[in-house]
Amino acid sequence: KQWYQRRVRGLPYCFVYLQTWHHDTHNAMGIMKVDMCRETSIGWQEVNKFPVEPVFAARPDGTDEDDGIIMSPVLDSTNNSTSLYIWDAKNLEVLTILSTPITVPFTLHGVWINGV
């Protein structure tokens, strides 16, 4: 699912950001950016980390379709804690990791927790 600001909603697009599941030795889920125009993809994953469905936020003055950030709460299964990860939407480089006051349970789709 792709989230865009209103000025581009409904227009043709190339990029889709999604959650991936790894059924191998990684014991993790990940984030993937798919370029449907070039038929390429890049991804992010860390062992024992489980991100929720990612959300794209465009840079207010951005000019490229993927100029912005990706956000997702990420559950760390080694200590049952959750952090908010923020990635650069162009290359999925982690920009920052913010601690959260609660553990957000793993889910395939985004969640709203009132008061957090």
Side-chain angles (χ1 to χ4, degrees):
K1 195 171 195 180
Q2 187 68 25
W3 299 89
Y4 287 108
Q5 61 208 58
R6 289 186 179 159
R7 68 184 169 98
V8 295
R9 189 173 291 146
L11 297 176
Y13 61 91
C14 290
F15 301 113
V16 176
Y17 301 92
L18 49 98
Q19 181 182 44
T20 62
W21 185 271
H22 302 280
H23 292 285
D24 54 18
T25 59
H26 295 291
N27 188 32
M29 294 185 69
I31 300 294
M32 181 176 283
K33 174 186 180 180
V34 178
D35 183 335
M36 297 185 305
C37 296
R38 292 188 179 96
E39 298 183 359
T40 61
S41 65
I42 58 173
W44 170 91
Q45 73 174 33
E46 286 184 22
V47 174
N48 300 314
K49 302 290 174 77
F50 298 85
V52 174
E53 183 176 33
V55 174
F56 174 80
R59 187 178 315 282
D61 58 348
T63 56
D64 296 330
E65 178 185 346
D66 60 349
D67 193 0
I69 60 171
I70 302 297
M71 300 176 286
S72 175
V74 177
L75 175 67
D76 183 337
S77 65
T78 62
N79 59 17
N80 199 34
S81 68
T82 300
S83 298
L84 178 65
Y85 276 59
I86 300 176
W87 297 267
D88 184 314
K90 287 189 178 287
N91 57 20
L92 295 188
E93 174 187 332
V94 176
L95 298 175
T96 193
I97 302 170
L98 305 169
S99 63
T100 61
I102 62 167
T103 298
V104 177
F106 163 74
T107 177
L108 293 177
H109 298 289
V111 296
W112 178 263
I113 301 174
N114 203 17
V116 173

